[in-house]
Amino acid sequence: MIRRTLLVALVVPWLGVSAGMAQTAPSETVSTGSIGLRSGFDSNPTDTLGAHGSLFVTQTMNYDYLRGSLQEGIGLKFRAIDTLYDPNVAAPSTNVLAAATAALRLAPNLSWRTTLTTTIDDNWARRSHSVQLRNRIEYDTTRFRVFANLDTNLNALNERNIFTQGGFLPSDENFATTTIMPGFAYKFEAGEIGTSVALSRVAYFAPDILGLDRSHDILQPNAFFTAKVSGIELEGSLSPFFARYETTDFDPVRQLLYTAKLKYPTGPWTVGLGSSRTIQDTTLSFASLDEALAHEASVSYKFDDNNAVSLLARFRRDDYLGVGLWSTTFLTGIDFAHNFGDGFIGTAGASVRQVRRPDEVQPWALNLQVGLQKTLDFGGPQKAAPDKAVGIKRPTAQ
């Protein structure tokens, strides 16, 4: 499902005041955050035929802390987005991420970083809870870097069958994922290029509700690059994905995954393009995995230091492998932001979207909202610890 809260993601960072969006590598203590409140109306919060519209209220909280650096220091990150609808129309939508990172410099160019991350992503159709422990050792010089990750995830997942509008499973499906990923990157003046390979074991604690065993092994090579050429920021990866199941309950999966991003700021304009094909776990009956294809295009215009506007178009297609079921969502919207000063940002926006499934084309849905955000500085520069300190990327972790 495409997220509908576009205002903070698009316009507010363009004004240069959104905590958690600055990509810096500070060597001193940074402690910043933000709180926000948005309200509006959505004509179909559940994206289902015959659904009713609802007023909604969204609360957002962000906090970033970094003492030292990514190579030697500690970091904290907290993000919470909670949306309340009319309870007769839709259940609340809650997204929470909490992460703590500790980095130790073992030698002048050698560092060890451990990150513990908890995520909660609940909405009317999907409930996902996970805990990840990531250990990373990295040897980083001015010419290259060599790294290796050891990740352990514990997950609880439960999904509705959106194609039959069924309820949640009687109980969550619990599984553990263990991943080993070595890699290498070569640095050049404009960026870097590298490769890695991930070996993962996904072990379900019990058969699913139909008695099928979803446990499988994953092999995933990955080639990636980042570059900045003539002001254009580029990022991409290409990743063959192979999954093999222990039993014949599910067919093997072979897919070519990728990510591609472009950002081009020129004068008051900023143009962004993105495309990706990723894989995520699913509990849909008889489906092995969910392949998600996403495309995005955006353009922002900054009138002055206090006013900006953004246009966005997004497309996403979910293919549930092995059962021939799919769902697409197209969304387009416009957002405006105004800087009132003293860290207060006002936002207003509107978007429309359409969902399609086999033999089902839904009417266009409308989302209207206004909001106010306040950035907070708890000491240090008005910058946030970079997402890289605690970020998780699947399948293109580097």
Side-chain angles (χ1 to χ4, degrees):
M1 181 180 296
I2 295 181
R3 186 176 302 279
R4 307 179 192 112
T5 52
L6 307 179
L7 301 180
V8 174
L10 282 178
V11 181
V12 177
W14 182 225
L15 291 176
V17 294
S18 176
M21 299 301 293
Q23 296 297 313
T24 63
S27 58
E28 69 265 13
T29 299
V30 175
S31 179
T32 59
S34 68
I35 56 175
L37 183 67
R38 299 194 298 276
S39 183
F41 175 81
D42 195 301
S43 64
N44 189 349
T46 60
D47 288 327
T48 56
L49 289 174
H52 298 287
S54 172
L55 297 173
F56 66 87
V57 177
T58 299
Q59 309 92 47
T60 61
M61 292 185 293
N62 289 277
Y63 177 69
D64 289 274
Y65 175 86
L66 180 62
R67 188 181 70 186
S69 68
L70 298 181
Q71 290 73 38
E72 187 174 19
I74 60 173
L76 300 172
K77 185 178 184 68
F78 176 79
R79 182 188 68 229
I81 305 173
D82 188 41
T83 302
L84 303 179
Y85 300 96
D86 179 343
N88 296 315
V89 176
S93 176
T94 302
N95 182 282
V96 177
L97 181 147
T101 298
L104 178 64
R105 191 182 298 276
L106 305 176
N109 295 317
L110 184 66
S111 62
W112 176 280
R113 185 161 69 246
T114 296
T115 302
L116 180 63
T117 305
T118 297
T119 58
I120 299 172
D121 189 9
D122 289 349
N123 56 57
W124 79 275
R126 179 182 171 95
R127 297 197 298 243
S128 176
H129 296 210
S130 67
V131 176
Q132 182 195 64
L133 179 64
R134 165 166 290 179
N135 290 288
R136 180 185 184 97
I137 188 168
E138 185 170 56
Y139 184 77
D140 192 354
T141 72
T142 57
R143 297 296 302 274
F144 66 89
R145 60 189 181 97
V146 181
F147 56 89
N149 284 8
L150 176 59
D151 301 342
T152 301
N153 293 59
L154 296 177
N155 308 271
L157 182 62
N158 199 332
E159 291 178 282
R160 292 180 184 270
N161 188 329
I162 58 175
F163 303 97
T164 62
Q165 297 189 26
F168 285 105
L169 299 174
S171 61
D172 297 341
E173 292 190 0
N174 301 301
F175 57 97
T177 303
T178 303
T179 301
I180 299 174
M181 187 186 70
F184 170 84
Y186 172 76
K187 299 180 180 180
F188 52 94
E189 184 177 356
E192 69 173 16
I193 185 170
T195 185
S196 63
V197 58
L199 302 172
S200 301
R201 168 65 178 169
V202 182
Y204 280 76
F205 297 161
D208 66 15
I209 192 172
L210 300 177
L212 306 180
D213 185 1
R214 293 176 175 267
S215 298
H216 57 280
D217 298 308
I218 297 173
L219 171 64
Q220 190 172 354
N222 181 41
F224 60 88
F225 77 94
T226 60
K228 186 173 183 179
V229 181
S230 301
I232 302 176
E233 299 177 21
L234 301 170
E235 178 181 337
S237 68
L238 191 63
S239 183
F241 178 92
F242 305 94
R244 181 179 62 85
Y245 290 81
E246 292 184 342
T247 67
T248 58
D249 293 340
F250 298 96
D251 293 330
V253 175
R254 298 177 179 86
Q255 297 289 331
L256 183 62
L257 309 181
Y258 71 90
T259 62
K261 296 180 181 180
L262 178 150
K263 182 180 178 182
Y264 179 47
T266 173
W269 297 91
T270 299
V271 177
L273 298 173
S275 181
S276 66
R277 180 186 287 124
T278 58
I279 289 284
Q280 66 179 13
D281 298 291
T282 179
T283 65
L284 195 69
S285 299
F286 300 107
S288 56
L289 294 165
D290 174 17
E291 179 190 277
L293 176 67
H295 307 297
E296 179 176 309
S298 65
V299 58
S300 300
Y301 181 80
K302 189 173 181 179
F303 296 100
D304 50 41
D305 290 340
N306 297 318
N307 298 281
V309 65
S310 291
L311 298 174
L312 172 73
R314 285 176 176 169
F315 172 84
R316 175 174 171 131
R317 177 183 171 104
D318 287 274
D319 282 288
Y320 294 86
L321 304 180
V323 293
L325 296 175
W326 54 267
S327 176
T328 66
T329 303
F330 175 76
L331 178 148
T332 184
I334 182 171
D335 302 305
F336 176 79
H338 175 73
N339 184 0
F340 291 100
D342 294 327
F344 286 97
I345 301 295
T347 55
S351 64
V352 293
R353 67 186 183 280
Q354 185 181 61
V355 174
R356 298 189 177 196
R357 302 185 181 105
D359 302 319
E360 178 185 326
V361 178
Q362 297 188 17
W364 286 91
L366 174 67
N367 183 285
L368 301 171
Q369 57 181 289
V370 294
L372 183 66
Q373 176 177 301
K374 167 65 175 176
T375 59
L376 305 170
D377 184 5
F378 302 102
Q382 186 64 25
K383 297 177 182 179
D387 291 341
K388 291 182 180 180
V390 293
I392 302 172
K393 285 189 177 182
R394 184 184 178 190
T396 60
Q398 301 171 9

